[in-house]
Amino acid sequence: MSEFYLVRHGQASFGAKNYDKLSDLGHQQARWLGEYFTSRDIIFSQAFMGDMVRHRETTQGILDGLSQSPVVTIDTGFNEFNFKNIGDSYLALNPQSSLPENPKPADFYRLLKLAMHAWSEELLPLDTLDESWLDFKHRVQGALQAACQQNSDKPILIVSSGGAISMLMSLVLGLDAKQVIELNMQVRNTSISHFFFNESNIRLSSFNNIPHLDSPDRLDSITFS
């Protein structure tokens, strides 16, 4: 069977005007991950990534740490869903759930979870959304299928985001929407999920691992945003 490593982007700029770029720590996490792959003699035949800034910067950081760089293909199917869009759509119906004046990360995640549940249950007006829950599922499925058409004796690297990774997990494991939303809250920055696949099947080997951060001097570098 062939295999692929699915990686969430490094820590982004939570709380900044532009979330879609890595923090200094996010860049470091990506470089450490590339160095980890090199230490394990893992050489990729090909890499896929979404076209968001945080995907590009994470991929470049990983490549900087690799001994051999694969050809990188952009596939927007691996992009994150637009959480601001679904949040705004949810708040238009539920203004009582608005964020406080100086929101904490927990306030943001509470709103995101509420909005995702409403989105997945088709309770948000379609004309206010960039894409429906089903549209999101289908584009992640298309990107996964495209990546798994590659036949190689070397692993494939995929760099994506927490929501897309959680949806991909649901496609492989048959999870429901509630489980997708719960997983989305748990995916760590630059975590690795490892899969084996062939023409007829995809099998999960491990999920949400951070071996490149699992040392006493790097525990403060484990992040979720």
Side-chain angles (χ1 to χ4, degrees), residues 132-158:
S132 68
W133 179 266
L134 189 59
D135 290 338
F136 177 47
K137 180 178 181 178
H138 285 166
R139 72 167 169 84
V140 172
Q141 185 174 36
L144 175 61
Q145 290 173 342
C148 289
Q149 288 176 356
Q150 312 303 312
N151 294 315
S152 174
D153 57 355
K154 295 179 181 178
I156 294 168
L157 173 67
I158 301 174

Side-chain angles (χ1 to χ4, degrees), residues 26-157:
H27 285 285
Q28 181 64 74
Q29 290 168 332
R31 288 191 294 270
W32 279 334
L33 180 55
E35 291 166 0
Y36 166 78
F37 285 135
T38 296
S39 72
R40 291 287 310 280
D41 294 323
I42 296 174
I43 298 174
F44 296 104
S45 62
Q46 191 168 355
F48 292 85
M49 66 176 184
D51 72 347
M52 308 180 94
V53 173
R54 56 191 184 272
H55 300 154
R56 295 173 184 269
E57 291 181 340
T58 300
T59 302
Q60 186 57 58
I62 294 171
L63 297 183
D64 288 344
L66 295 179
S67 58
Q68 297 183 35
S69 294
V71 174
V72 179
T73 299
I74 295 173
D75 189 329
T76 57
F78 290 119
N79 281 0
E80 185 61 289
F81 62 86
N82 187 339
F83 46 81
K84 185 179 186 305
N85 174 243
I86 69 163
D88 288 346
S89 179
Y90 177 81
L91 288 175
L93 299 176
N94 302 276
Q96 73 280 3
S97 296
S98 296
L99 294 172
E101 185 175 347
N102 296 303
K104 299 177 181 179
D107 297 317
F108 171 80
Y109 289 121
R110 173 189 56 80
L111 173 59
L112 176 60
K113 195 170 182 178
L114 290 170
M116 288 187 71
H117 277 295
W119 183 37
S120 69
E121 294 168 5
E122 300 183 347
L123 299 177
L124 303 181
L126 285 177
D127 61 356
T128 67
L129 298 174
D130 290 348
E131 61 182 346
S132 68
W133 179 266
L134 189 59
D135 290 338
F136 177 47
K137 180 178 181 178
H138 285 166
R139 72 167 169 84
V140 172
Q141 185 174 36
L144 175 61
Q145 290 173 342
C148 289
Q149 288 176 356
Q150 312 303 312
N151 294 315
S152 174
D153 57 355
K154 295 179 181 178
I156 294 168
L157 173 67

